Structure formats: structure tokens, C-alpha cells
Amino acid sequence: MKTVAETMDDLDIIRQILDGKVNAFEFLLERYQEHVVKIVKKHIPYNQIEEVTHDVFIRSYQSLPTFKNTSDFKHWLSSIAVRTCYDFWRKQYRERELPLSSLPEKQQHWLEATVSMEAHQAFSEAEDIQETRELLDWALTQLSPEDRMVIELVYLEEYSGKEAAKLLGWSVANVKVRSFRARKKLEKILQGKSSIIGGK
């Protein structure tokens, strides 16, 4: 049997929160926590996931008065999650404290497709696949926060230009131009690093 919260749609819950029933926000948290964690895990080092996820829900709660009833709440929340991840990397970029983390297998495959055949051969000869994972993560940290996020969304997660634009709050044209330039920058970084590995 469904609980009262489960039978309520997002707009009803939001209206309750805005009417002063702040505890109703727990219903949204329970409903979308897993969804937000999935987004954050794709962009943030493992040991920071919990903190960044917490920040996403704080921001969403604070921004509820700006939520438009004509919008899809899940998509609206996804945009906040992506932008919170973006802000995380902006902070790391400023402080130059760039942690390494393991990357999903999908990102490894993209790495192999991105670099040249010569670079790919050098990577394949690495003794530990973890080195390859950390290399891609290191390369991403060499990019600006904007370039990193657009690379992850467009090439690693395969969002369309329009979808990425909505999540980032950019124009489609800006996403297309920046993603192209960012990919070229990343290729150059990876190829330069792979030549060092290959020369060992």
C-alpha cells in the first residue's frame, strides 16, 4: 500500500514546502536521492559524493521559490546537480587541489577512441589499468571547469548538445563550440602524456 507521500506529485509537495511545511522536503529527498547520486558519481571523486549530493539538495531547497510550475522538477533538479558538480571543479581549479579517482569503464573506452593509435598502444602496454584511469582523470583536471563539464556531458555521457545546454544553462551554440575546442585540448594533453609513457 502506498504512503500519502507516494501518491502526491512533485508540484503538490513543492506547494506544501512553499506554504511553510518544510518537512515535506524530505519526500522529495527520498524520491530523488538515488537519481542525484547517480549524476554526482559521474563527475565527482568518490570521497566527495556524499558532500556534493548534500549541497545539491540544499541548493534545490533554497531555489524552490524560483521553480516554475510548467517545468519538470526532475530535470530542474538534474540541472542543479550538474551545476553543483561544475562549481565543485571551479573551486578545485582555483585551489589547485585536484584529486584522482577511478573512472567508469565507459570513460576508458572513450579515452581509447580519443587518442591516436600510437598513444593507444602506449596505454595498452601500461602494467596497471588503474594508471590509465588515473591518467584520464588527471587530463580532465588540466582543463578548465567549463571544458571538463562539457567534455563529460557531451562525449563521456553522450548527451546531445541541446540536452547539455539545458543542464549547464548555456546556449546550444556555446556547447558545440566549447565541446569541440575542449576535445582538441584534451587530445593534445593525452597525446603529450602518452609519449612520455611510451618513452619509458
Side-chain angles (χ1 to χ4, degrees):
M1 184 176 179
K2 291 186 176 181
T3 64
V4 175
E6 290 174 331
T7 61
M8 297 173 63
D9 63 27
D10 294 339
L11 291 179
D12 288 335
I13 296 174
I14 292 170
R15 290 191 192 100
Q16 286 195 12
I17 297 169
L18 296 178
D19 286 341
K21 298 178 181 178
V22 295
N23 289 338
F25 187 74
E26 292 182 13
F27 300 147
L28 293 178
L29 194 153
E30 292 176 3
R31 184 173 293 178
Y32 291 108
Q33 184 168 15
E34 184 177 348
H35 173 70
V36 170
V37 168
K38 284 182 179 179
I39 293 175
V40 173
K41 283 174 67 176
K42 294 176 181 177
H43 301 287
I44 300 297
Y46 180 79
N47 63 345
Q48 300 288 336
I49 291 173
E50 183 176 353
E51 181 178 348
V52 174
T53 299
H54 181 67
D55 289 344
V56 171
F57 282 106
I58 289 178
R59 289 189 180 193
S60 63
Y61 175 78
Q62 294 173 336
S63 301
L64 274 181
T66 68
F67 176 73
K68 298 178 181 178
N69 292 347
T70 56
S71 304
D72 176 72
F73 178 77
K74 186 175 183 179
H75 179 77
W76 181 81
L77 182 62
S78 298
S79 296
I80 291 178
V82 168
R83 293 174 196 179
T84 302
C85 293
Y86 164 59
D87 288 341
F88 169 86
W89 287 112
R90 285 180 62 190
K91 181 180 179 183
Q92 297 296 322
Y93 189 80
R94 287 196 301 267
E95 297 177 356
R96 286 297 192 274
E97 295 176 0
L98 304 172
L100 295 177
S101 63
S102 298
L103 297 180
E105 184 178 356
K106 184 176 182 179
Q107 295 186 0
Q108 296 174 43
H109 293 327
W110 182 84
L111 168 63
E112 294 172 357
T114 300
V115 298
S116 65
M117 289 303 295
E118 180 181 353
H120 170 67
Q121 182 178 1
F123 286 129
S124 65
E125 292 172 354
E127 293 182 357
D128 189 351
I129 191 62
Q130 183 67 25
E131 183 176 351
T132 303
R133 292 178 177 178
E134 292 187 352
L135 178 58
L136 176 55
D137 200 45
W138 170 84
L140 288 170
T141 64
Q142 305 307 300
L143 299 174
S144 69
E146 294 87 352
D147 287 347
R148 180 187 179 110
M149 289 304 299
V150 78
I151 281 285
E152 290 183 342
L153 289 173
V154 174
Y155 294 114
L156 302 185
E157 298 178 39
E158 299 180 349
Y159 280 98
S160 68
K162 185 176 181 180
E163 291 169 334
K166 285 184 177 180
L167 289 171
L168 290 166
W170 299 353
S171 68
V172 175
N174 190 19
V175 168
K176 289 182 178 179
V177 171
R178 187 174 282 278
S179 63
F180 175 79
R181 292 177 178 173
R183 177 169 177 149
K184 291 298 182 183
K185 291 177 185 177
L186 188 61
E187 286 177 353
K188 187 175 181 179
I189 292 169
L190 289 170
Q191 289 170 357
K193 189 69 173 179
S194 69
S195 65
I196 296 175
I197 295 174
K200 286 183 178 179

